[in-house]
Amino acid sequence: MADSNWHPSSWKSRSAAQMVDYPDQQHLQRVLTKINALPPLVTPAEIERLRFQITAVQRNEAFLLHAGDCAESFDACTQQNISAKIGLILSFSLILIWGGRLPVVRIGRIAGQYAKPRSSGTETIDNREVLSFRGDNVNGLDPNDRTPDPERLLSAYFHSTATLNYVRGLLTSGFASLHHPRDWSLSHVRSPALRSEFEKITRGLSDALDFSHTIGADSGRESAPFDRGGGRGVLGEIDFYTSHEGLMLDWEQAMTREVNIAGSGPSPQEKGFYNTSAHFIWVGDRTRQLDGAHIEYFRGIRNPIGIKVGPSLENAELIRLLQIVNPNKESGRVTLITRYGAGKIGDHLPGHIEAVKHSQHPVAWVCDPMHGNTLTSSSGFKTRNFGTVISELTSCISIHAACGSRLGGVSLEFTGELNDEGFSVTECLGGSMELSEEQLGLRYQSFCDPRLNFEQSLDVAFLISNYFKEERLGDKGENSIYAALGGRRTI
């Protein structure tokens, strides 16, 4: 919680990494003033609800799924793309619930994940040095449109609003109903083996729901379809939360509101600062300096926050970071998102786990097996090898178990996008599709980092689900799905 020395603008007294240099500062201030007067995108009550649910993750009573695009684009704000993304997240979580028998906390990288950090402020295109592309809320992908434009921040607000409005509409009108799991993109699963595994799960769920209906568990108004006057009910509506990297501090400050803390009881109520642009924001590996502007901002907001943890973060520095952002050791406040690389996780994760355990800071441990495993293919495409991705994930599970800890979630860059012919993107190698380097160029659509496609994402879901099912049933045998997908041990 913020102290008396904190204010949404106190970050300006610190050195800030990854900041954008706007040529027209007056224009920027006019836009930020406008954004500050616009309605919040999310509510304090929703934010507090997510904190409560992350507390359950910290107690190993729920599993966190954090997923979506590396960076959203304005052009991708369409009905088809949003539906495909939400459908994939729902399908993934359904598989996890079936195997783990745990609630899934769903957090999308959506409705605001436009900005992207860059290692250099400029890049060379066609022998010409231009400003680096920083995301649709800053400048354009076209090399001739690289001057940072404040109006893009306002456009980001309205694109985020449109996205979130459609997501809310989907999730409150039967899109997530467990009575119709077959509606969740199964027609696009071309791998017979993957389709068979998914259909086993949906058949099992359908049997369970038929049983519930037979004994009258849902015999009331909610049993009718939503569009026929039925209620939403517990089987038709889910919690879904939004997130983005808290990179653009001018934007984050403009969207921060001081209000009564939701659920704090009768007056006099305690006030707190909420970032109302998303339920959950995270600080990246490039901006988590202890004395930097981003950590100064993050320490004062009520939102649950994520911290990316990589090989460069020393044990003592990690604990100092936790002390700064969560000095009172509040539950549900901090999620540590580890991203080491398959070859480095064994050297760093055990020490981080032991340091956090000794400090007694409550955290949710989430594995990001994507960012430490990026490579460039011989054909020049930025890609990731699926076998390496799942190797880091399974190593993470094993290391936590060996250290008396437990992995609480997974953070993935994936997409359910399809082209006009109904085919998935081709950006990551391997998986049940056995995607080769020669096939990367077929449907490579990302302008940022490579994403798992629909089939590869469900591969990961079945892998995790199968592990938790075997753990729950006391089966210590080899995970057959892991072996079939080309995973390999790295520790």
Side-chain angles (χ1 to χ4, degrees), residues 130-268:
V130 297
L131 292 175
S132 294
F133 175 57
R134 295 293 302 273
D136 271 1
N137 61 348
V138 177
N139 54 9
L141 187 60
D142 187 326
N144 296 315
D145 189 22
R146 293 297 175 86
T147 300
D149 181 2
E151 291 296 327
R152 285 180 170 270
L153 290 173
L154 201 57
S155 186
Y157 174 91
F158 288 112
H159 278 87
S160 297
T161 301
T163 299
L164 186 54
N165 179 67
Y166 185 58
V167 169
R168 291 188 191 277
L170 282 175
L171 298 180
T172 56
S173 57
F175 186 77
S177 174
L178 290 180
H179 289 285
H180 306 289
R182 289 183 180 276
D183 293 342
W184 293 357
S185 306
L186 273 181
S187 60
H188 306 299
V189 181
R190 297 185 302 281
S191 164
L194 200 57
R195 180 188 294 270
S196 175
E197 290 291 338
F198 195 31
E199 287 179 343
K200 286 180 186 176
I201 292 173
T202 57
R203 282 198 301 269
L205 274 171
S206 295
D207 286 343
L209 292 167
D210 286 344
F211 175 77
S212 298
H213 179 75
T214 301
I215 64 174
D218 62 350
S219 58
R221 176 171 168 264
E222 69 177 51
S223 63
F226 178 82
D227 55 1
R228 299 292 182 88
R232 297 184 178 96
V234 296
L235 297 180
E237 184 174 1
I238 65 166
D239 288 324
F240 182 87
Y241 303 100
T242 62
S243 72
H244 62 260
E245 181 176 358
L247 196 62
M248 306 282 293
L249 292 180
D250 286 316
W251 160 269
E252 309 301 344
Q253 177 186 334
M255 290 299 296
T256 302
R257 311 284 192 265
E258 184 181 21
V259 297
N260 292 330
I261 294 177
S264 61
S267 57

Side-chain angles (χ1 to χ4, degrees), residues 22-299:
Y22 288 93
D24 189 341
Q25 287 293 314
Q26 291 184 340
H27 187 186
L28 173 64
Q29 291 308 313
R30 288 195 300 271
V31 168
L32 293 174
T33 299
K34 171 65 174 176
I35 290 172
N36 187 247
L38 289 168
L41 295 181
V42 301
T43 68
E46 292 172 334
I47 293 170
E48 293 293 340
R49 182 175 177 85
L50 177 57
R51 279 185 62 142
F52 179 83
Q53 293 183 2
I54 291 178
T55 298
V57 175
Q58 293 174 346
R59 295 196 302 256
N60 300 324
E61 297 171 358
F63 192 83
L64 192 153
L65 172 61
H66 181 231
D69 279 314
C70 169
E72 295 176 278
S73 68
F74 294 162
D75 288 343
C77 182
T78 66
Q79 174 185 347
Q80 180 182 6
N81 285 339
I82 296 169
S83 298
K85 191 180 299 182
I86 299 302
L88 178 53
I89 290 173
L90 293 176
S91 297
F92 197 109
S93 61
L94 171 66
I95 296 168
L96 295 183
I97 292 169
W98 184 249
R101 299 295 196 270
L102 284 173
V104 172
V105 180
R106 304 167 186 87
I107 305 177
R109 298 169 59 111
I110 194 171
Q113 177 56 11
Y114 295 111
K116 53 181 293 186
R118 297 302 298 267
S119 56
S120 173
T122 61
E123 59 184 335
T124 301
I125 300 178
D126 296 330
N127 297 318
R128 180 163 63 105
E129 186 179 41
V130 297
L131 292 175
S132 294
F133 175 57
R134 295 293 302 273
D136 271 1
N137 61 348
V138 177
N139 54 9
L141 187 60
D142 187 326
N144 296 315
D145 189 22
R146 293 297 175 86
T147 300
D149 181 2
E151 291 296 327
R152 285 180 170 270
L153 290 173
L154 201 57
S155 186
Y157 174 91
F158 288 112
H159 278 87
S160 297
T161 301
T163 299
L164 186 54
N165 179 67
Y166 185 58
V167 169
R168 291 188 191 277
L170 282 175
L171 298 180
T172 56
S173 57
F175 186 77
S177 174
L178 290 180
H179 289 285
H180 306 289
R182 289 183 180 276
D183 293 342
W184 293 357
S185 306
L186 273 181
S187 60
H188 306 299
V189 181
R190 297 185 302 281
S191 164
L194 200 57
R195 180 188 294 270
S196 175
E197 290 291 338
F198 195 31
E199 287 179 343
K200 286 180 186 176
I201 292 173
T202 57
R203 282 198 301 269
L205 274 171
S206 295
D207 286 343
L209 292 167
D210 286 344
F211 175 77
S212 298
H213 179 75
T214 301
I215 64 174
D218 62 350
S219 58
R221 176 171 168 264
E222 69 177 51
S223 63
F226 178 82
D227 55 1
R228 299 292 182 88
R232 297 184 178 96
V234 296
L235 297 180
E237 184 174 1
I238 65 166
D239 288 324
F240 182 87
Y241 303 100
T242 62
S243 72
H244 62 260
E245 181 176 358
L247 196 62
M248 306 282 293
L249 292 180
D250 286 316
W251 160 269
E252 309 301 344
Q253 177 186 334
M255 290 299 296
T256 302
R257 311 284 192 265
E258 184 181 21
V259 297
N260 292 330
I261 294 177
S264 61
S267 57
Q269 288 187 317
E270 184 181 359
K271 288 185 176 293
F273 288 94
Y274 293 87
N275 184 318
T276 62
S277 66
H279 302 101
F280 179 93
I281 62 173
W282 74 90
V283 61
D285 218 33
R286 294 183 174 98
T287 53
R288 53 166 169 72
Q289 296 83 7
L290 295 180
D291 58 352
H294 288 80
I295 294 301
E296 170 61 20
Y297 173 79
F298 271 71
R299 77 181 181 90

Side-chain angles (χ1 to χ4, degrees), residues 417-439:
E417 289 179 27
L418 306 168
N419 67 3
D420 293 339
E421 289 75 37
F423 290 99
S424 301
V425 303
T426 55
E427 298 170 3
C428 291
L429 300 168
S432 63
M433 302 178 71
E434 300 181 352
L435 194 72
S436 66
E437 282 200 25
E438 292 72 22
Q439 296 172 312

Side-chain angles (χ1 to χ4, degrees), residues 63 96 99-102 397 406-407 463-473 479:
F63 192 83
L96 295 183
R101 299 295 196 270
L102 284 173
I397 293 172
R406 183 179 172 87
L407 179 66
L463 175 72
I464 300 172
S465 179
N466 193 56
Y467 172 84
F468 286 133
K469 182 185 72 173
E470 292 179 350
E471 179 188 56
R472 178 167 50 84
L473 299 177
N479 191 320

Side-chain angles (χ1 to χ4, degrees), residues 360-407:
Q360 298 185 325
H361 271 277
V363 303
W365 289 98
V366 170
C367 175
D368 168 6
M370 307 291 290
H371 283 90
N373 296 303
T374 305
L375 55 91
T376 301
S377 71
S378 59
S379 51
F381 287 101
K382 191 177 182 181
T383 188
R384 288 157 174 156
N385 189 297
F386 185 84
T388 308
V389 168
I390 64 173
S391 290
E392 176 162 358
L393 176 57
T394 54
S395 294
C396 193
I397 293 172
S398 299
I399 291 171
H400 274 286
C403 294
S405 177
R406 183 179 172 87
L407 179 66

